Amino acid sequence: MAFAASDGVRLTGWWLPAEGKAKGTVLHFHGNAQNMSTHVQFAEWLPAQGYHLFVFDYRGYGRSEGSPTRRGLVRDGIAALETVRQRPEFDADRFFVWGQSLGATVALQAMLRSDVPVKAAIIDSAFSSHGRIAAEKMRQIPWFLQPLRLLRPLFISGGFDADQALGLLPVDLPLLFLHGEEDPVIPPSHSQHLHQLRPENSQIRIIPEAGHCDAVLRFPEQIRPGLLEFLE
């Protein structure tokens, strides 16, 4: 299905209906790289558990138009929230968000800027801020390139960050932070930091042996029941 962001950029998404009597709706914000045809694997088990699922591609991903920018991706997230609200299946008391990696930041920023009511959110493998993850990655470059770290603020600035959104979102929004203990892309310390910023009405699970966003695929019998319990 096609829908549009507030600046007119055309986006694409898939609506996967629940099997049997619906328990609610989950809007999935995928991570960086590739598109929803790859990332849907993380959440495609939800319809069999009674949840409608909406997945979509940000601008510049898949068949969505445009080029990605931080502001643009947040516009796209707001449009996805509004698209779900306009569905006849929408129930404000049973509407959930699941953001993974980059999508976790986009989800938090979109919820902050939207009046669409969200019952609870899963924040999976998130980085706390663009500046922090960039600084950590630059510390890993060879020693002779280390002076480039001084230029990092010129190229990767703050703005539209997860930690900033958490400071402004309502404290009564239930949050579940997930992170793989062996995540090679984003250290679990990022989710731990975010949880510390919002200990009220939130939970955190650091999954042993899991990598980046892959716990729900590698350990389904361990992870999926906990996600369903959180949603229910």
Side-chain angles (χ1 to χ4, degrees):
M1 60 181 291
F3 62 106
S6 60
D7 57 356
V9 174
R10 301 290 293 176
L11 309 170
T12 56
W14 292 336
W15 177 266
L16 306 179
E19 298 179 14
K21 184 178 179 180
K23 299 177 182 178
T25 300
V26 176
L27 169 58
H28 184 255
F29 288 73
H30 70 65
N32 195 21
Q34 300 177 310
N35 55 58
M36 63 183 177
S37 66
T38 298
H39 292 277
V40 70
Q41 65 180 320
F42 295 104
E44 63 185 354
W45 54 277
L46 284 168
Q49 299 297 324
Y51 288 91
H52 303 302
L53 175 65
F54 186 53
V55 299
F56 72 103
D57 273 332
Y58 317 111
R59 63 189 63 203
Y61 290 74
R63 295 185 178 180
S64 292
E65 297 176 349
S67 299
T69 64
R70 291 187 203 174
R71 185 181 300 276
L73 266 60
V74 174
R75 285 183 186 269
D76 301 342
I78 295 170
L81 288 165
E82 186 61 41
T83 297
V84 174
R85 176 160 65 177
Q86 294 173 1
R87 300 275 313 184
E89 302 92 342
F90 180 76
D91 179 353
D93 290 329
R94 304 300 302 165
F95 177 43
F96 309 96
V97 160
W98 182 0
Q100 293 189 293
S101 191
L102 172 66
T105 293
V106 177
L108 288 168
Q109 287 287 335
M111 287 189 291
L112 177 63
R113 290 166 166 77
S114 172
D115 64 355
V116 177
V118 175
K119 190 67 175 179
I122 301 168
I123 306 302
D124 184 354
S125 306
F127 53 87
S128 59
S129 71
H130 294 87
R132 177 178 173 180
I133 190 64
E136 290 176 354
K137 295 302 180 183
M138 293 194 75
R139 284 199 290 269
Q140 299 173 10
I141 63 177
W143 66 268
F144 56 87
L145 295 176
Q146 286 296 313
L148 294 176
R149 291 171 55 189
L150 299 175
L151 302 177
R152 192 271 304 169
L154 299 178
F155 299 101
I156 303 177
S157 60
F160 296 99
D161 290 318
D163 54 6
Q164 181 261 346
L166 281 178
L168 298 172
L169 282 165
V171 295
D172 60 350
L173 174 68
L175 299 173
L176 173 60
F177 295 98
L178 295 178
H179 216 115
E181 189 173 46
E182 306 300 327
D183 190 334
V185 180
I186 302 171
S189 59
H190 283 256
S191 284
Q192 291 167 333
H193 174 66
L194 293 173
H195 178 245
Q196 290 169 358
L197 292 176
R198 262 291 304 273
E200 305 92 345
N201 210 20
S202 70
Q203 310 170 38
I204 185 168
R205 291 192 64 187
I206 305 298
I207 300 96
E209 301 182 20
H212 188 59
C213 295
D214 66 359
V216 72
L217 297 179
R218 292 180 58 198
F219 310 110
E221 295 182 358
Q222 175 186 350
I223 301 304
R224 293 181 185 181
L227 297 185
L228 292 174
E229 181 180 358
F230 177 72
L231 297 178
E232 293 171 3

